[in-house]
Amino acid sequence: MNELRQEAYQSLIDRLLTCVSSEEPEILRINRNLVDAGLVQTMLKVAGDLAKGGDPTRANRLMNIAGSLLGVCGNSSTQVTPQEYFDFLMQLLGTIHDSNGNLQKVDSLLRANLSFVDQNLACELRSFAQDSLSELEPELAQHMALDLFKLSQFLVDFPMGNREQNLEIAITGYEIFASVFNQQNFPEIWAEIQNSLGNIYRCRKSIKAESLPQAIRHYKAALEIRTREYFPTNHIETQFNLGLAYRDAGQLAAAFKAIEIAIDTLESLQTEIASGFETDPHQLYACIVEVCLELGKQDPEYYNRALEFVERSKARHLVELLVRKNLYPKRNFYPNQNEYQKTCYLLDQLRRQIPAKQRQLQACGDWKYQLENRSTKLRIQQELNYLQQQWDNLLQEINKVDPRFKSIQQVEPISFSDIFALTDDKTTIAQWYIADDKIVTFAISLRSPHPTVWQSSSQDLKALRDLASYKEKDQWQDQLGQILRQLSYILQIDEILAQIPSGCDRLILIPHRWLHLLPLHALPLKGQPNKCLLDRFTRGVGYAPSCQLLQLSQNQQRYIFSHLFAVQDPTKDLVYTNLEVATICSFFPSAEVLVKQEADEAASTVDGNFLEAHCIHFCCQGEFNSNSPLDSALILAQSERKPDIRLTLAEIFRFNLERCRLVTLSAWETGTIDQSLSDEYIGWPSSFLYAGSPSVVTSLWRVDDLATTFLLGRFYENIRKHHLIEAADIAIALKDAQIWLRDLTSSECEIILGQLKPKIEPMLANLPKQERKLVAAAIENAIKKIRSRRPYPFANPFYWAAFTATGF
């Protein structure tokens, strides 16, 4: 090759590698006199050198440019003869055959011969199969087809060369493989290849219009074998893939139907079986919500379905966590204890047998095993299906006795009509859903048979994500008012309020992910200084983890509210708990307090008191375990000689609080949640709601001790004003207490401090001398700070907005 021209090629290549991708066409147009087969050949050589030198990114970029020029330059077949293609193919298949699963040599061979990896290799591969495979003995043909499968599988993810051409070769290899392992003789293997072909065609974005119908065809072919009855996890995978292909093709109604079938199948399986599904279940729910939101723009009925699937996603996440704890039905729901023991025995049996059978099935996944024992896998699958049916039947029987148990073992969908029934002419529900690229808000009221929907921008989502980490910022307590103003803007609260009927006086908030960490009830109102959502809704702003748990709480009517059980400062480091608990006890005819001196008895006394109490009040520390939410715990007792006595979330789910009307957690950040990637709010409220308490009050951050004493004292005083504690009364009592504390003046505060003084002095007198001095100094310092914050000592949301009322 002319040396000057070669230098020109190299100069052009250097320029292409340093420019931005959008400039490539113009650079090539200006240098069109250099665009020929020689340039392509040089590009391929340079790309190979870059790959060997450890620069795959630039090598791949150069290969893509070379691939785009092949059609312009008459492609590389003018430089490579058919015999050379055939020789390379034989070398490639031989290397795969000898690799014994280690494809490093295959990778090196392909990288060193990128000029052969094009559509001509696919043609040579097809010709070879037509001329040679048909003449081989069946066993030898199968071995050769397996080598072609491995090549195709490797090329799908091969990072070098032209991706479209890599996929073309992979498609050819898979099609040849499917002709050998055909539907009649090897149905399951054939179906897997059809699914793989569908995936490849769906990935070919450059010729999307042509490829998506092919993808749909292959997925449908796979579903002829991958049925819900015989291969449920494979059925889920392919149904979801089919839904994605329909979505990409703009056929949204078909996409919805396909993904709905996948989710229905997923939810019909016991969690141990569904865990064998390779795709993250979260993706199924996220995708169908996305499809519903698009369809809802034309048909608002799909907004109803979107909300249903948001709820189903939350329910599934909760079930996934709880089934691992091997919970049992509530013992006291069974009048016949022999029947209860038999039920628990059957549960244990199936909990062992189903995962064991699932492991057997997974061990049959190897193709060599399938070829030699094709009937075995089908038999094991049928046995697993039978065990699953037994599990379903057992849950139905348990449901007749303990209706709540089934909902934590299997997803129980809630319909939009049931969600709609949670509202009335004065109650609106606002539920959020955080998608991958936006925040979605659903408002449900009797004003419309469909939810009103808002969808934010991706910038709003990013702003929310940044805002949710507010506690990591310095001086966040002083900046909380500004943070809430930003949040109000991000969530478009003014637009939402404008759509809520004027007569509505109660708002129920159902947050999602990071929104659980923020005091949404304290969001400011536009044009009304120092006013917030609490001021807008006279019957309060309540919370719920989900519509299903809200429905559960509303079905748990409790009217008697006379007996209190309180846990008071077991760790001996909460200064004001004596004042707090003493104040609260004064509002109950009957009260039992587990104080720090009796903490060693906690393990034996707590369970019985829980069963009898109408109100349970925790004045203690709480620890949240973000890695394992169900192991989060309240510290009930602490001793240097003995392990801490802890009450975990998992244990609370086992309780039966059939008499309890309210649980209050005046602990450290008991509103903290699992925010890793979950859809469900896994925290104290959900556990106590499930255990039977209709209402739970928790805190979002470690609150100011004296402010909490003021607030909760007023809260319980407000509750006692109600003759019967009905729906929303807890939220009203908390709302009135929070507004009262926020608006409390310095002069009014002095009166309350004077009322507390007679209680403080005996409290200090009961303390050891050294501790007495420390506590007295802490109280004096706290009072001093209060007096410095004039004229409204508790106006900052930090002091009054931490507590939330969850339930009804």
Side-chain angles (χ1 to χ4, degrees), residues 4 26 31 66 72 88 125 191-192 257 306 317 338 352 367 424 523 574 628 690 707 710 736 746:
L4 289 176
E26 181 61 15
N31 295 275
V72 178
F88 174 67
L125 187 57
E192 184 170 338
K257 187 63 179 176
H317 185 73
N338 288 333
R352 288 192 304 269
W367 279 12
D424 55 41
L523 291 174
L574 301 175
S628 180
Y690 176 78
F710 282 24
D736 288 345
S746 294

Side-chain angles (χ1 to χ4, degrees), residues 415-476:
S415 68
F416 182 76
S417 60
D418 286 339
I419 296 173
F420 193 66
L422 297 173
T423 66
D424 55 41
D425 58 348
K426 293 187 175 182
T427 302
T428 293
I429 296 174
Q431 179 157 355
W432 283 275
Y433 175 73
I434 297 178
D436 291 337
D437 60 345
K438 59 193 168 190
I439 308 164
V440 183
T441 310
F442 301 90
I444 306 103
S445 70
L446 292 184
R447 181 174 183 170
S448 168
H450 310 291
T452 304
V453 176
W454 291 265
Q455 300 185 51
S456 76
S457 66
S458 57
Q459 289 81 4
D460 287 333
L461 176 58
K462 182 180 183 303
L464 173 61
R465 189 182 290 112
D466 295 339
L467 204 62
S469 59
Y470 67 102
K471 292 182 192 174
E472 299 173 9
K473 301 173 182 176
D474 292 334
Q475 315 251 318
W476 68 268

Side-chain angles (χ1 to χ4, degrees), residues 82 118 142 165 181 202 338 346 359 392 411 421 426 443 499 559 564 580 691 704 720 770:
D118 59 16
Q142 289 172 14
Q165 294 183 6
F181 292 88
R202 190 165 58 83
N338 288 333
L346 291 174
R359 288 191 292 272
D392 293 340
V411 177
K426 293 187 175 182
Q499 296 298 318
Y559 296 111
L564 168 73
E580 183 180 321
D704 177 84
R720 296 312 307 176
Q770 188 61 34

